[in-house]
Amino acid sequence: MDGCRSGVPTYEGDLHVVAAAHHIVKALGATKNLSDDLRKILIDLDSHLSMITSNIDSKGGRGLVDVEERLDQAERKIMRWETDPMMIWDSGPKEASDYLEAVDETGKLVDGLRGLSVHENRKQKEILHRAMNILQTAMSRLEEELIHILVRHGQQFEPKNMYSRSIRKDIVYDESFVSVEDEPTKETSSQNCSNNESGECIVDLVHADVIPDIKSIAKVMFTSNYGPEFCEAFISVQKEALEQYFSFLGTENLSIEDVLKMEWTCLSSKMNKWTWSMKIIVRVYLASEKQLCDQVLGGLGSVSSYCFLEISKATILCLLNFGEAVAMGPHRPEKLLRLLDMYETLADLLRDIDTLFSEEAGSFIQLQFHELLERLGESAIAAFKAFRVAISSNRSLYPFAGGGVHPLNKYVMNYIRMFPEYCSTLNLLLKNQHPGVADQVTKPDYGPDTSLLTSCPMAYHLRSITSCLESNLHKKSQLYKDEALQHIFLMNNIHYLVQKVKGSELRLFFGDEWIRKHNAMFQQHAMNYERATWSSVVSFLKDNNPGSSSMSKSTFKERCKGFSIAFEEVYKTQTRWSIPDPQLREDLRISTSLKVVLAYRTFLGRNLAYTDDKCVKHTVEHVENSLLDLFGGSSRSLRNSCRW
């Protein structure tokens, strides 16, 4: 113990020194292989030290009186607070300072008296026992004061700008696909999803003004060998505060069994909340907790790291356990984006974790983080494969009503349009999933030269997914008995594919050549529709004798009747068919009108002599207007337009 810590008078200190020297001499005397001369010298020195001790003891009586008087003064200052309902640090800085001085004085006296306790001095032992009891009382009070300060001056904070980008409506895989709808979403480039949303933000978990008070309590308690008691109280309060904040974030301590049994809607919400909570807990709360521990205990070696680990490990392990349960669960397609969110969150936080738990005692936290990251990556790959399998294996027993955009198509395209946000991660995870694919795993800058994006692993898998989708859609088109409706269905769905790619960052990964190819595809299906539908209808309007000015009346009447019946049948059927895209619907109506109306107008023009006859059921204008009713998705009745 440092000489300045001694609480006894000078002669008591002298006795302490002599006693220490006496102890050293005895220890040396017990050493083997000493020469006879050296052993004789040590015996003589021991005898001399005993004589010095006797001389000092003769002066000791008055010294104990002084010690007792000093202890009385310290005791009065300490014990008066035992009956006072006020907390010391709430009473003002002078009261706190006086109390700490009294505690420090008592500690010095205890240290000094312990140094003399080798001697059989009854009075000395009584004073030492009394001083130790007073010190014990003071330490208990300081624990209470510490807890009171931490609780009263603890500061909660609300997370700001920390919401995960994945807070969005789920696109849920469903065998019926009836729940999948297009939703207007703001496309967000992955380069804009910066880490600012989860950037480190140190806050004061305890008001800065009371940090010196906490440090002063720590200093006295550690000096008095009550460091473990300080740590226990400090850890208890801060751990409870963290658990309360954990609950405030809405995060629960769930068992693996609870997670595995959870319905997807609930699990999806929990996974999303996990990514958000993990960022806040690690990058804000724990970073702030680490700062507080270092501020209070930074000068005490590994004590700060020990307290931080004890405060944080239960919450961290709770978060890790949830991640483990998710990774263990079934690899369903709809889990993919949530798994990628969790993976990216952990990857982003690894450096923070390695810094926060840099001591050997916390290495198991680092290890579990790295292991969970690997397992989440494996689960994401498995979910990605399951997604592709789900597309390929989806079967329909009946054709989709109206020939519109199939819900499977909506599901797939609405899902994959979010993949560019995860470009770097997907490239990293998928780079070994197919040999020969370019090893393009760096984060794209979306600059003018984006040719490399079309050859990166993610681009390959995107095109593979849409190829599976197209194949499935072709199979579904065969369920329609009407050839024209087959072409309407394929036109709608391939057009939808193209629009989803063109209208998002998917364009960078599919490339312009893919878009041109698929534009030609849906346009070809539009032409095939016109041939399958209107060739037979327009055939009634063709003149088998183009050299003559008009046909016979009977032939004209027969052709008019055939055209009217065919046109009305098409109208009745194809008003039920659906082309959801307004522009595509308008384009096909116009294209059809140009062929049909022109042919009908020419037909009537060549046979003006018969146009007043009742056999002309529909005027040109009526046919033209009626064509505008096609593809609306609901059956309509065609009314006659001519006067009889």
Side-chain angles (χ1 to χ4, degrees), residues 585-631:
R585 183 170 61 245
E586 183 67 16
D587 289 346
L588 191 57
R589 285 171 174 173
I590 292 172
S591 176
T592 300
S593 181
L594 288 174
K595 292 178 175 61
V596 177
V597 172
L598 178 61
Y600 191 51
R601 179 180 285 114
T602 301
F603 172 75
L604 294 180
R606 287 176 177 174
N607 299 277
L608 289 173
Y610 312 131
T611 55
D612 290 336
D613 197 283
K614 293 182 180 180
C615 63
V616 180
K617 194 173 183 181
H618 304 290
T619 66
V620 172
E621 291 75 15
H622 186 237
V623 169
E624 186 173 14
N625 291 331
S626 297
L627 288 173
L628 299 178
D629 294 334
L630 300 183
F631 318 121

Side-chain angles (χ1 to χ4, degrees), residues 373-385:
L373 179 68
E374 183 177 350
R375 279 192 279 274
L376 286 173
E378 293 169 353
S379 295
I381 293 172
F384 193 96
K385 292 178 179 178

Side-chain angles (χ1 to χ4, degrees), residues 365-402:
I365 298 287
Q366 294 183 37
L367 179 62
Q368 290 196 39
F369 256 83
H370 285 267
E371 289 178 346
L372 178 57
L373 179 68
E374 183 177 350
R375 279 192 279 274
L376 286 173
E378 293 169 353
S379 295
I381 293 172
F384 193 96
K385 292 178 179 178
F387 176 54
R388 193 178 187 280
V389 170
I391 297 168
S392 299
S393 61
N394 180 260
R395 296 289 180 265
S396 299
L397 296 176
Y398 305 100
F400 183 62

Side-chain angles (χ1 to χ4, degrees), residues 133 251 275 303 376 397 435 456 536 556 580 603 615:
N133 286 338
T251 311
T275 63
V303 175
L376 286 173
L397 296 176
C456 70
S536 60
F556 177 78
F603 172 75
C615 63

Side-chain angles (χ1 to χ4, degrees), residues 197-251:
E197 69 179 7
S198 57
E200 183 175 334
C201 178
I202 304 294
V203 298
D204 291 326
L205 297 181
V206 177
H207 200 286
D209 291 348
V210 300
I211 298 297
D213 297 332
I214 299 173
K215 290 178 68 175
S216 65
I217 293 174
K219 180 181 178 181
V220 169
M221 292 188 71
F222 273 89
T223 301
S224 303
N225 297 317
Y226 279 81
E229 287 77 4
F230 177 91
C231 291
E232 182 179 356
F234 184 79
I235 291 169
S236 175
V237 175
Q238 292 306 106
K239 183 178 179 180
E240 183 177 352
L242 175 54
E243 290 172 350
Q244 288 177 352
Y245 189 73
F246 191 64
S247 177
F248 166 75
L249 293 178
T251 311

